[in-house]
Amino acid sequence: MTTKPRLYYFNGRGRMETIRWLLATAGVEFEEAEYLETREQYEKLLQDGALLFQQVPMVEIDEMKLVQTRAILNYIAGKHNLYGKDIKERALIDMYVEGTMDLNEMIMLYPFSSPEEKEKNFALMIQRATNRYFPVYEKVYGNHGQDFLVGNQLSRADVQVLESILMIEEYEPTVLSEFPLLQAFKARISNLPTIKKFLQPGRMQPHALDIPSL
Amino acid sequence: MSGKPKLTYFNGRGCMESIRWLLAAAGVEFEEEFLETREQYQKLIKDGALLFDQVPLVEIDGMKMVQTRAILRYIAAKYNLYGKDLKERALIDMYVEGTADLMGMIIPFPFTPLKERNLALIIERATTRYFPVYEKVLKQHGQEFLVGNRFSWADVQLLEAILIVEEKEPTVLSKFPVLQAFKARISNIPTIKKFLQPGSQRKPPPDDQYVATVIEVFKKD
């Protein structure tokens, strides 16, 4: 009998959020270890040799202590059939999700902007979403007319694009106004049972992160 | 029949170098087109060749692939350098993400203003965060390769990382005897040995010309 995956991170989205999304989509129940709030907790994890490169996220899963966000995501996606059916589909999925991860990086770092840079960073984040990333996904849908981004089947690409859309919308609610196909995509994917459940209130929804000093 | 992969990037290392290493390690011949002017870049965008308006771009097997990690994973999987199952892949992914983080500190170096460059931090991370991990992995299983007793992407990227850190600090492996042996061993693999020879497609460390070209190509109008 396998135990639930156990997540080690701060009480916030950061780099762990996409992992939570993916586990939830796959219908995998997971636990969160005590949120990292003090230096002592972090030092203990280090001392226990639990963090390969001294960093979180860390996920205990299938007897491994996995670190590195992408390694963790790749494993979960591969294990739960959310990574396409062959290496060419995987290549498409990888391109799409690396795009969302670049965008997410901007979203994640934005609250940490210095006061002088805040306005510029906000504008750049929205511009990248609407000029660089969303048009790509809108076009992919337009081209194949299918329900999912790759291979006519739900994959991590759909989950990660949805996640990015929702996070950008928190900052700019009208961001999808020029993207009708993404609006339909958002409604459709949000309604998948496991995702619908994940989106229900009661989950942490921190907007401005209050992460203790890293 | 597909032709050779074609790489589009600057005539320098940057984010493309790990891809050159991996193709070379796999014994795959490839062609290169070098970005030299803003016009070339704008043409690529207009032609719809760059999914997210970015390079690296690798044309391979009928696809125009972008995003360094997407490209690397495709090559690794195609040429059997990605482990034999999901768990081996997880280990390889962890190890390559570690070396990618380390190399990611070095890639922006030439573009960072002199007084902000922190070489000491890079060396510290290399010797206290990254190299000890690989030293320990190799020591613990005593095998020749990092994962699954078989040559993989993880070995290629570790060697690449070792060599570029050594360029900045030649004694960096002094406390890592197992990595020294690893370095010698992997360097001697025929495809890698060939890539390490002068005249190969391996790129030299960035120089002023490279920096100037990149800035020129990407400058805003």
Side-chain angles (χ1 to χ4, degrees), chain A residues 83-109:
Chain A
Y83 216 164
K85 70 178 197 301
D86 58 34
I87 70 172
K88 280 206 164 180
E89 284 194 356
R90 213 160 71 195
L92 284 176
I93 289 169
D94 274 339
M95 284 198 280
Y96 300 156
V97 302
E98 286 295 322
T100 64
M101 291 184 79
D102 282 349
L103 181 56
N104 286 4
E105 189 83 3
M106 298 181 82
I107 300 172
M108 189 183 66
L109 292 176

Side-chain angles (χ1 to χ4, degrees), chain B residues 149-214:
Chain B
N149 209 10
R150 200 161 68 129
F151 184 52
S152 79
W153 173 23
D155 303 297
V156 181
Q157 206 156 291
L158 176 57
L159 176 63
E160 181 192 1
I162 287 172
L163 294 180
I164 68 174
V165 178
E166 271 187 338
E167 278 173 356
K168 303 249 177 254
E169 178 46 78
T171 66
V172 76
L173 282 195
S174 56
K175 304 211 157 71
F176 303 104
V178 179
L179 285 184
Q180 290 174 35
F182 169 86
K183 173 190 158 192
R185 199 166 59 240
I186 304 300
S187 301
N188 258 307
I189 291 175
T191 48
I192 304 232
K193 191 168 185 175
K194 188 170 167 202
F195 189 62
L196 288 172
Q197 256 144 34
S200 81
Q201 284 162 296
R202 186 177 179 218
K203 299 294 173 278
D207 58 17
D208 291 338
Q209 158 121 26
Y210 168 76
V211 173
T213 308
V214 175

Side-chain angles (χ1 to χ4, degrees), chain A residues 146-206:
Chain A
Q146 292 165 2
D147 277 359
F148 305 104
L149 276 168
V150 178
N152 213 7
Q153 197 192 12
L154 179 69
S155 78
R156 64 182 286 195
D158 303 293
V159 181
Q160 290 186 236
V161 169
L162 176 62
E163 180 195 5
S164 294
I165 285 174
L166 293 180
M167 288 202 292
I168 291 278
E169 272 187 336
E170 282 172 349
Y171 284 113
E172 180 47 80
T174 65
V175 77
L176 284 194
S177 55
E178 321 266 296
F179 302 106
L181 297 180
L182 286 183
Q183 290 174 36
F185 159 81
K186 175 189 155 192
R188 197 166 59 238
I189 304 299
S190 301
N191 258 307
L192 295 176
T194 50
I195 298 198
K196 191 169 184 172
K197 186 171 169 203
F198 186 66
L199 287 172
Q200 257 142 37
R203 282 209 64 245
M204 72 173 77
Q205 295 285 330

Side-chain angles (χ1 to χ4, degrees), chain A:
Chain A
M1 188 196 82
T2 46
T3 48
K4 295 180 191 171
R6 197 167 159 81
L7 278 48
Y8 291 77
Y9 200 64
F10 309 101
N11 183 4
R13 290 177 179 169
R15 298 187 192 284
M16 187 62 98
E17 193 69 354
T18 310
I19 293 167
R20 296 181 182 111
W21 268 91
L22 202 55
L23 285 168
T25 301
V28 176
E29 280 183 40
F30 57 90
E31 289 172 355
E32 308 232 24
E34 225 173 70
Y35 295 126
L36 277 186
E37 269 150 12
T38 66
R39 183 138 191 100
E40 288 67 42
Q41 280 171 289
Y42 172 61
E43 303 262 355
K44 179 165 194 310
L45 280 173
L46 286 181
Q47 250 146 44
D48 292 345
L51 306 179
L52 190 68
F53 299 117
Q54 303 158 1
Q55 296 163 316
V56 287
M58 190 269 276
V59 175
E60 284 173 332
I61 183 170
D62 298 340
E63 286 138 36
M64 298 180 288
K65 286 181 165 52
L66 287 186
V67 297
Q68 290 287 353
T69 311
R70 287 169 169 92
I72 298 165
L73 289 169
N74 291 357
Y75 181 76
I76 295 165
K79 182 179 177 188
H80 295 283
N81 269 315
L82 292 167
Y83 216 164
K85 70 178 197 301
D86 58 34
I87 70 172
K88 280 206 164 180
E89 284 194 356
R90 213 160 71 195
L92 284 176
I93 289 169
D94 274 339
M95 284 198 280
Y96 300 156
V97 302
E98 286 295 322
T100 64
M101 291 184 79
D102 282 349
L103 181 56
N104 286 4
E105 189 83 3
M106 298 181 82
I107 300 172
M108 189 183 66
L109 292 176
Y110 169 66
F112 297 93
S113 312
S114 63
E116 315 87 62
E117 298 217 297
K118 246 189 154 82
E119 202 179 311
K120 182 186 81 161
N121 287 351
F122 184 87
L124 185 62
M125 185 174 72
I126 302 303
Q127 192 224 44
R128 282 282 153 81
T130 54
N131 289 5
R132 179 174 283 189
Y133 296 107
F134 292 172
V136 168
Y137 307 120
E138 179 84 2
K139 184 174 175 193
V140 169
Y141 279 115
N143 281 349
H144 63 42
Q146 292 165 2
D147 277 359
F148 305 104
L149 276 168
V150 178
N152 213 7
Q153 197 192 12
L154 179 69
S155 78
R156 64 182 286 195
D158 303 293
V159 181
Q160 290 186 236
V161 169
L162 176 62
E163 180 195 5
S164 294
I165 285 174
L166 293 180
M167 288 202 292
I168 291 278
E169 272 187 336
E170 282 172 349
Y171 284 113
E172 180 47 80
T174 65
V175 77
L176 284 194
S177 55
E178 321 266 296
F179 302 106
L181 297 180
L182 286 183
Q183 290 174 36
F185 159 81
K186 175 189 155 192
R188 197 166 59 238
I189 304 299
S190 301
N191 258 307
L192 295 176
T194 50
I195 298 198
K196 191 169 184 172
K197 186 171 169 203
F198 186 66
L199 287 172
Q200 257 142 37
R203 282 209 64 245
M204 72 173 77
Q205 295 285 330
H207 183 88
L209 294 174
D210 186 21
I211 289 187
S213 60
L214 297 162

Side-chain angles (χ1 to χ4, degrees), chain B residues 37-57:
Chain B
T37 67
R38 188 154 179 71
E39 290 67 42
Q40 266 176 295
Y41 174 55
Q42 284 171 328
K43 180 170 192 306
L44 282 169
I45 294 183
K46 231 176 9 209
D47 293 347
L50 306 179
L51 190 68
F52 299 117
D53 296 344
Q54 295 165 316
V55 286
L57 165 67

